[in-house]
Amino acid sequence: MQPNQALTYCNVMELLVAQEVHRQLQQLPPKLVKYINPAQAIAYALNRLPALYATSPRGWYLQQQRAKAKLAPQIVVAVGQALAAVQQDPLNVAIPLNFAENAENIEESASDSSDADVEEAKSPDFFLSWVRSLFGLGGINKADGRLKR
């Protein structure tokens, strides 16, 4: 795959997990929510769930229906475990990935970072906006993922 080549596939679980993280965060006390990085919770949950990739709007819709029908309970449990696991220690703040960097730079910066380089964690909105950009695929209804006719 060329570095500038657009992705022609996506993991349906990313959006479903992001939605479930958002839903569960709204049910938590605000004082607790400020110690949870949603991007970390999403990654934690995704690493414990099967991937469901799609390469077309129809595939996206079918995989989404499959996930909702067969994996909904697993998604809820994985997200609950993720939210408990990623609660941040205010003294140990993680540095978020910058997707503008290439993989080599990410590895290099991870090995070079020190405690003095740690800054206050940024809002994880970058991930959610990236997930929302998946809807740029033609033919997908932004409200619920159904194919437009």
Side-chain angles (χ1 to χ4, degrees), residues 82-142:
L83 293 175
V86 303
Q87 290 180 28
Q88 294 179 358
D89 175 355
L91 300 176
N92 185 15
V93 180
I95 299 172
L97 285 177
N98 179 355
F99 287 105
E101 298 179 31
N102 63 32
E104 291 172 9
N105 290 341
I106 290 172
E107 279 185 28
E108 185 177 307
S109 66
S111 64
D112 291 346
S113 65
S114 67
D115 290 337
D117 295 331
V118 176
E119 298 176 17
E120 186 172 326
K122 297 177 184 174
S123 169
D125 290 339
F126 73 92
F127 182 80
L128 295 177
S129 64
W130 178 79
V131 170
R132 287 185 193 108
S133 73
L134 293 175
F135 286 114
L137 299 170
I140 296 179
N141 182 326
K142 292 181 181 177

Side-chain angles (χ1 to χ4, degrees), residues 23 30 46 50 56 118:
R23 187 188 73 74
L46 284 170
S56 69
V118 176

